[in-house]
Amino acid sequence: AYPDNVVRIFNRWGEAVFTQEGYDNESQSWNGSANMGARVGSGLLPKSTYFFILDLKNGERPVTGYIVLKY
């Protein structure tokens, strides 16, 4: 419903580790890998709590929250 949306995910130090325009949970989604910043090995991020900002680009305040990665 919001094709122009932007998702940004940050680590506990506030460093951006992932960003995606047009996030849709299918073809454009996050699998726990970094696509920006310092990447090591496969790019899989360590188990931790991450902060997200979802900007729907509709003039409303962005949606924010936390994601916990567990493998």
Side-chain angles (χ1 to χ4, degrees), residues 5-19:
N5 75 72
V6 177
V7 172
R8 291 183 180 84
I9 300 176
F10 302 86
N11 64 20
R12 68 175 93 187
W13 299 283
E15 301 166 333
V17 295
F18 179 85
T19 187

Side-chain angles (χ1 to χ4, degrees), residues 23-65:
Y23 192 95
D24 65 9
N25 277 338
E26 291 177 17
S27 63
Q28 305 285 343
S29 62
W30 186 52
N31 66 0
S33 295
N35 70 358
M36 58 186 316
R39 289 179 251 169
V40 177
S42 67
L44 278 179
L45 294 165
K47 295 179 197 176
S48 189
T49 300
Y50 295 85
F51 178 75
F52 73 86
I53 299 173
L54 168 58
D55 187 349
L56 298 175
K57 299 290 187 180
N58 65 352
E60 295 180 16
R61 290 178 61 152
V63 177
T64 61

